[in-house]
């Protein structure tokens, strides 16, 4: 049979020198942006997909990858870091320990090529074979931004790349990446575009903080800004406004439910206006429960 040479990762062209992944089945969305003779990569998906991710970006943009930025620590954004272990890797300081703590999980993912075939499977196997003794250092950032930082600028081959952190939102180590010269913003998982959001309370999530972060994102966007969500379709600032509205609405609903002595289970099982339009329904109950718990605790 003929080998499969097509990529399992769907991509979308954003600008002549910028592409991003799309779709819900391969992990968090990735931005690849070329500046002069090198590529900046934002997020890295899962380990088995990462060598094909890198290959695709380098082929499409005709330059080598030179730097990786992680928007936060979750495995569908960082397990693939090992395919970029030769590059500088930047993340929020709070992400470092969380990434290192997931190394055993990452090693298991690295060895699992069962969902791939053709060239993508070959690349994944080669990556695993080249790291037989992978350590947390192969995934962890090589540079971190201090916990209290709010804004930093990297000069990436002449292109200013703005890294922002407002306050804990989706996690305690969220970054969003703004590239004004290209009018592109990667929101990481501070934006779940028309999907139920994953609220990681054990990792410091705060929906109040999430709203504040999204408001800051809106401040940086104009009507032409391309906004890349962590999950869901690539969109514009309207998607960020919808994320804010969702949290404000559901926080208010939880507050009223608690005032009226509605139980957590009953709150979760009460229909919402979002049930027919948000994807990722399997995390609906977790999302609503997290919002209820946060309001009940007075935060």
């Amino acid at each position: 049979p003929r080998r499969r040479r097509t990529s399992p990762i769907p991509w979308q062209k954003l600008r002549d020198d910028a592409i991003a992944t799309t779709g819900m089945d391969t992990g968090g969305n990735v931005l690849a942006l070329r500046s002069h003779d090198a590529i900046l990569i934002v997020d890295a998906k899962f380990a088995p997909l990462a060598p094909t991710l890198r290959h695709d970006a380098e082929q499409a943009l005709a330059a080598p990858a030179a730097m990786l930025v992680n928007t936060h620590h979750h495995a569908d954004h960082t397990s693939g870091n090992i395919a970029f272990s030769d590059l500088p890797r930047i993340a929020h300081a709070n992400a470092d320990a969380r990434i290192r703590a997931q190394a055993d999980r990452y090693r298991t993912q690295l060895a699992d090529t069962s969902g791939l075939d053709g060239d993508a499977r070959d690349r994944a196997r080669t990556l695993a074979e080249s790291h037989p003794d992978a350590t947390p250092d192969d995934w962890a950032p090589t540079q971190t931004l201090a916990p209290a930082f709010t804004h930093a600028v990297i000069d990436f081959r002449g292109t200013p790349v703005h890294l922002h952190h407002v306050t804990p939102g989706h996690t305690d180590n969220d970054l969003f990446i703004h590239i004004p010269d290209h009018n592109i913003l990667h929101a990481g998982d501070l934006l779940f575009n028309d999907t139920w959001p994953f609220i990681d309370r054990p990792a410091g999530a705060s929906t109040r903080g999430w709203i504040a972060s999204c408001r800051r994102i809106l401040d940086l966007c104009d009507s032409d800004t391309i906004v890349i969500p962590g999950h869901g379709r690539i969109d514009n600032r309207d998607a960020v406004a919808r994320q804010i509205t969702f949290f404000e609405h559901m926080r208010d609903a939880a507050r009223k439910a608690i005032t009226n002595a509605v139980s957590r289970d009953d709150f979760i099982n009460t229909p919402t206006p979002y049930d027919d339009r948000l994807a990722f329904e399997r995390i609906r109950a977790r999302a609503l429960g997290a919002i209820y718990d946060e309001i009940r605790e007075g935060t």
Side-chain angles (χ1 to χ4, degrees), residues 210-223:
W210 201 323
I211 291 168
S213 295
C214 285
R215 286 177 175 156
R216 179 60 181 142
I217 290 172
L218 277 185
D219 289 342
L220 297 171
C221 294
D222 61 32
S223 59

Side-chain angles (χ1 to χ4, degrees), residues 88-264:
R89 301 180 302 282
I90 300 172
H92 188 281
N94 292 342
D96 184 66
R98 296 190 184 282
I99 289 172
R100 292 178 181 277
Q102 297 177 145
D104 288 344
R105 179 184 179 189
Y106 291 160
R107 277 188 285 267
T108 299
Q109 291 173 350
L110 180 62
D112 183 5
T113 63
S114 58
L116 302 174
D117 60 15
D119 291 347
R121 181 176 57 197
D122 291 348
R123 293 187 195 104
R125 287 176 173 172
T126 298
L127 178 65
E129 290 166 0
S130 66
H131 292 81
D133 302 308
T135 72
D137 286 343
D138 291 309
W139 285 281
T142 60
Q143 177 183 343
T144 59
L145 299 160
F149 108 99
T150 57
H151 180 213
V153 183
I154 298 169
D155 183 344
F156 180 71
R157 310 297 173 101
T159 297
V161 177
H162 295 249
L163 309 179
H164 296 267
H165 171 78
V166 176
T167 189
H170 169 62
T171 68
D172 65 1
N173 58 95
D174 303 311
L175 298 181
F176 57 91
I177 293 85
H178 183 215
I179 307 170
D181 288 1
H182 296 74
N183 207 6
I184 294 172
L185 190 147
H186 193 315
D189 279 6
L190 289 166
L191 179 56
F192 280 73
N193 192 12
D194 291 337
T195 80
W196 288 98
F198 176 58
I199 304 169
D200 193 351
R201 298 197 80 217
S206 161
T207 62
R208 182 194 294 273
W210 201 323
I211 291 168
S213 295
C214 285
R215 286 177 175 156
R216 179 60 181 142
I217 290 172
L218 277 185
D219 289 342
L220 297 171
C221 294
D222 61 32
S223 59
D224 296 321
T225 304
I226 296 173
V227 178
I228 303 166
H231 298 272
R233 62 184 171 84
I234 295 166
D235 211 323
N236 56 37
R237 71 191 311 274
D238 293 344
V240 184
R242 290 194 300 272
Q243 186 79 93
I244 293 170
T245 298
F246 168 83
F247 281 123
E248 289 181 336
H249 183 188
M250 293 314 305
R251 281 175 59 88
D252 186 56
R255 191 175 294 109
K256 290 176 179 176
I258 291 166
T259 299
N260 293 324
V262 175
S263 72
R264 187 181 192 273

